[in-house]
Amino acid sequence: KTEKRMADEKKKDGAFFKMKKNLAGKAATSSLGKAMMKKVMDDNTNNLMKALKKLIEKKFDKKKAEEIQNNIIKILLKAQFQIEKKTVLPEVFLPANRPLRTSFALLCKLNQTDDRPPEQRKEDFVRIENYFREVGKIGETHLGPHLTQKNKDKLSYTVDFLGSASFLQSVWDDAAYKEHRDQLCQVLSIYTS
């Protein structure tokens, strides 16, 4: 192939990828996009998203739960597209596995009978918050160069929200959330075993 023809093909591939990426971002928040994403995600991930959404909805409202779910879906889709394009290797996300699993295990441990006063439990929630920050930094480092500022902000906001020590402790220390915590921990335990 001539250099000009190769350059033209690369432009087409780039334009097609950009269009595909933009459509994925918009589709992530549509009901069709959510349905497509649920087909891509395995049952455990779908169950995790459902349990998390129910917990957030009970604590805040449906709008907040959907916002967080949409952000997660959008971030996952954008990561998947970068992996497909081979601009990001899936292995770069492996370091996030340890802090994520550790935080999940600690959340499940805290959900079991823990008679310590909230002041003593606070240390554990702060550790979880730090684990989530570590996961966020890994995502930002590898996905950041491929995201718009708006999507970088969504990534940061979502990780900070989900890992917030005050949010987690308010839910874990309140008996009104027991059923939702149990459902979430049932799913999280799959990832920690």
Side-chain angles (χ1 to χ4, degrees):
K1 295 181 180 179
T2 67
E3 284 184 37
K4 183 178 179 348
R5 189 171 168 192
M6 286 173 45
D8 288 343
E9 284 179 9
K10 192 170 186 170
K11 273 186 191 175
K12 283 182 194 174
D13 288 346
F16 177 72
F17 178 76
K18 189 172 184 176
M19 182 180 72
K20 192 174 166 184
K21 188 173 103 173
N22 288 337
L23 285 174
K26 290 179 179 118
T29 57
S30 71
S31 55
L32 177 63
K34 288 178 190 174
M36 287 179 358
M37 190 63 190
K38 287 176 184 174
K39 287 181 181 178
V40 173
M41 296 188 305
D42 64 10
D43 287 341
N44 294 336
T45 307
N46 280 324
N47 291 336
L48 175 59
M49 292 285 281
K50 286 177 190 172
L52 189 58
K53 185 177 178 186
K54 285 180 186 176
L55 182 81
I56 295 169
E57 192 171 326
K58 180 165 177 64
K59 174 70 178 170
F60 295 98
D61 57 29
K62 187 174 183 172
K63 184 178 177 184
K64 175 62 75 180
E66 287 180 355
E67 174 191 14
I68 297 299
Q69 181 186 41
N70 289 342
N71 287 352
I72 293 169
I73 290 170
K74 201 172 263 194
I75 292 162
L76 291 175
L77 280 173
K78 293 193 179 286
Q80 182 61 38
F81 278 119
Q82 294 305 323
I83 290 168
E84 285 178 13
K85 190 179 175 192
K86 297 185 183 352
T87 55
V88 174
L89 297 173
E91 300 83 46
V92 300
F93 299 109
L94 289 177
N97 196 29
R98 185 197 56 77
L100 203 54
R101 285 179 185 260
T102 303
S103 65
F104 289 173
L106 191 50
L107 282 170
C108 293
K109 180 181 171 192
L110 288 164
N111 193 47
Q112 298 167 352
T113 306
D114 188 346
D115 296 332
R116 295 179 301 154
E119 303 80 46
Q120 290 178 1
R121 291 164 50 95
K122 184 176 182 171
E123 290 176 24
D124 290 329
F125 291 107
V126 169
R127 284 179 42 216
I128 292 166
E129 184 174 75
N130 290 330
Y131 288 133
F132 268 85
R133 282 189 182 138
E134 195 176 329
V135 170
K137 284 179 187 173
I138 292 165
E140 176 88 26
T141 298
H142 299 293
L143 274 182
H146 310 286
L147 298 176
T148 63
Q149 187 59 50
K150 180 179 168 184
N151 286 320
K152 286 179 192 178
D153 293 344
K154 283 183 183 186
L155 172 62
S156 179
Y157 170 77
T158 303
V159 171
D160 289 347
F161 177 86
L162 292 173
S164 165
S166 60
F167 161 64
L168 292 170
Q169 187 161 13
S170 71
V171 170
W172 256 251
D173 285 349
D174 190 336
Y177 298 99
K178 175 92 171 97
E179 181 183 335
H180 292 84
R181 289 192 318 261
D182 288 346
Q183 288 173 357
L184 182 61
C185 285
Q186 184 178 1
V187 178
L188 292 178
S189 66
I190 293 167
Y191 290 95
T192 60
S193 56

